[in-house]
Amino acid sequence: MAATGTPAPSGGQARRMQIGEAAERVGLSIRTIRHYHDAGLIVPSARSEGGFRLYTDSDLHRLALVKRMKPLGFTLEEMRELLTTIDTLAAEPRTDGERAVFLDRLAMYGEAAHARIGSLREQLAIAEGFADTLHQHLERHTQQVG
Amino acid sequence: MAATGTPAPSGGQARRMQIGEAAERVGLSIRTIRHYHDAGLIVPSARSEGGFRLYTDSDLHRLALVKRMKPLGFTLEEMRELLTTIDTLAAEPRTDGERAVFLDRLAMYGEAAHARIGSLREQLAIAEGFADTLHQHLERHTQQVG
DNA sequence: CGGACTGTCACGCAGCGTTAGCGTTT
DNA sequence: TAAACGCTAACGCTGCGTGACAGTCC
């Protein structure tokens, strides 16, 4: 199967925009979006005759989703899997067995997310502590001068 | 000048340990510590005759300091500068002018730290929001099955 | 037609992980 | 002496940034 195909176009004819507009809209660099393509994370719905990547709103949603995932520190590979997992679940029911598998995956990502949040909190605490230390240094040395 | 020389040994004869023990104590990998050396960030106080890096408690403190700095997202280069800045201030007073320069640097790092903390908070918020989204997906699909 | 936009290499960078092959310490 | 431990290359990996050079769009 092709890495991460966009699900069914929602309704009317999808607007197709080039990478530049897509980039501006989601707030990612063109280079980043191309990289996501190369990595098989988000494959544009189509190409122009000349070879330009064409993105739909659906693609934009995925890009936005990935942008939101980034702070969780997942690798592109992991995000790719999560995306396909979500898509698969959102699409057809398939076998009950398959559903179970994908639900499991989703749950695993949920746990991973919580773990990430935990370490983000730790990092924040450490960072704050360190900032304090810095300020103490500053005050100490400032006193002697002023 | 040698990148980041360890300041004066505090009191008695410093215990000198090899990289393995140092690594275990501060909770950094051997490879990381070697990398910090190569980068001129933390140069071991001495070498054995055979060429083994020998670290003192003072070195350990620096390693621990760097470990605490990491969550702030500074580059090794920046941390190196910050270390030397702190050392310089802690050591001799030098010229008033020099003091001012280094105090300025310290202040700049303080601001940078605050900025980092801000973005860490943002990331945390985004991460939490995303975790929520994941859980909603989970519940939605779980209902249909259970 | 021209200028903005996009395409594909392909190298660079941080921060280590990971062999590989070979000395050092104890 | 041998088991641990360490050393120096040197390549690998992730996630893009940054050209360079050429084709596409409007």
Side-chain angles (χ1 to χ4, degrees), chain B residues 18-20 31 34 47 51-53:
Chain B
Q18 297 178 188
I19 199 171
R31 183 63 179 89
R34 277 205 273 248
R47 291 265 198 173
F52 283 20
R53 274 167 265 247

Side-chain angles (χ1 to χ4, degrees), chain A residues 33-51:
Chain A
I33 295 181
R34 276 204 276 248
H35 185 58
Y36 287 170
H37 178 188
D38 293 348
L41 180 52
I42 292 172
V43 177
S45 302
R47 290 265 199 174
S48 76
E49 298 244 325

Side-chain angles (χ1 to χ4, degrees), chain A residues 18 20 30-31 34 47 51-53:
Chain A
Q18 297 179 187
I30 291 181
R31 185 61 183 89
R34 276 204 276 248
R47 290 265 199 174
F52 284 17
R53 276 166 262 246

Side-chain angles (χ1 to χ4, degrees), chain A residues 7-19:
Chain A
S10 21
Q13 335 109 326
R15 250 211 76 209
R16 309 213 166 239
M17 64 196 92
Q18 297 179 187
I19 200 171

